[in-house]
Amino acid sequence: IVSYNGAMGNSSVNEVINFWVSHNSITDAPVKTLLPDLVQEGSSVEQSIYGPGTDSAEVKLLRIIGGGHTWPGYSGFFGLGNVNQDIKAETEIWNFFKRFSRSEAVSQTVEEHLNTSELYPNPAINELYLTNPEIRHIQITDAFGNILLDTPFSNGINLSKLHNGWHVLQGFNAKGERIYASRFLKMD
């Protein structure tokens, strides 16, 4: 688990934000907004937008106030504290990154499947499930991009041979096109 304030060689959230603000030559103070509290589960979301900087770049931070060490929008219970339901983390991440060009076809495909897929439980211990009938093949990598699992997909994913930590799961359709990507935490 990575602390918000940094620990054991991990940078704090403020250090990461300051890096990207500096990298993008942003000099103005952030515009902070408290997002609507759509679900009264004891937490709220503060949005900070820094920018514009070089090439109109912006840095965005969504800080959960009163939340636990959880994945915002996750509907399961894992016991790591209060889960904010006002936003879905994967949707917010996708909405930020989809503004940057790569391939319009890939962007549309990923966006369509992001809204129809659910990866659960997250964090996971030994089993992970993904709801998307079009996914035929999955690939799991560690935080450094090393491929740890590359296999046909049917339903459940056995995580028992993976080490603890953050991983990325990508799902591919029958044509071999990547139609899903999400981060998950493996724990014992």
Side-chain angles (χ1 to χ4, degrees):
I1 295 179
V2 178
S3 170
Y4 186 90
N5 296 317
M8 300 182 339
N10 293 303
S11 299
S12 70
V13 170
N14 287 337
E15 289 169 329
V16 172
I17 292 295
N18 290 337
F19 169 82
W20 287 109
V21 165
S22 175
H23 178 77
N24 290 296
S25 303
I26 297 171
T27 57
D28 295 339
V31 174
K32 294 186 177 189
T33 308
L34 195 59
L35 299 183
D37 191 9
L38 303 174
V39 179
Q40 283 70 48
E41 78 296 284
S43 65
S44 58
V45 181
E46 178 188 70
Q47 174 180 268
S48 298
I49 298 181
Y50 302 76
T54 305
D55 296 326
S56 300
E58 82 177 16
V59 175
K60 183 176 180 180
L61 171 65
L62 295 171
R63 184 172 70 96
I64 307 299
I65 301 166
H69 193 90
T70 60
W71 188 258
Y74 175 62
S75 58
F77 174 77
F78 196 76
L80 295 174
N82 196 19
V83 180
N84 180 275
Q85 297 295 327
D86 298 324
I87 62 171
K88 287 184 77 175
E90 61 272 19
T91 301
E92 295 297 330
I93 293 166
W94 177 245
N95 286 341
F96 180 84
F97 284 110
K98 76 179 181 181
R99 300 175 302 155
F100 306 102
S101 65
R102 186 166 171 208
S103 164
E104 190 173 316
V106 169
S107 297
Q108 289 173 348
T109 302
V110 171
E111 185 169 10
E112 289 168 6
H113 292 281
L114 183 61
N115 295 328
T116 60
S117 303
E118 185 176 1
L119 184 67
Y120 66 96
N122 191 4
I125 297 174
N126 287 320
E127 284 282 319
L128 192 63
Y129 299 93
L130 176 61
T131 59
N132 186 315
E134 294 183 46
I135 292 177
R136 300 289 185 261
H137 191 91
I138 61 161
Q139 187 176 80
I140 295 177
T141 60
D142 63 16
F144 301 104
N146 299 310
I147 298 173
L148 305 175
L149 183 64
D150 193 348
T151 185
F153 174 72
S154 58
N155 186 12
I157 304 162
N158 183 335
L159 304 177
S160 62
K161 295 183 180 179
L162 297 182
H163 60 276
N164 287 345
W166 286 103
H167 297 79
V168 175
L169 182 142
Q170 297 183 82
F172 301 87
N173 64 15
K175 296 178 186 176
E177 300 166 325
R178 185 180 70 172
I179 60 170
Y180 182 80
S182 184
R183 201 170 76 147
F184 70 93
L185 180 61
K186 162 67 165 75
M187 299 175 61
D188 281 337

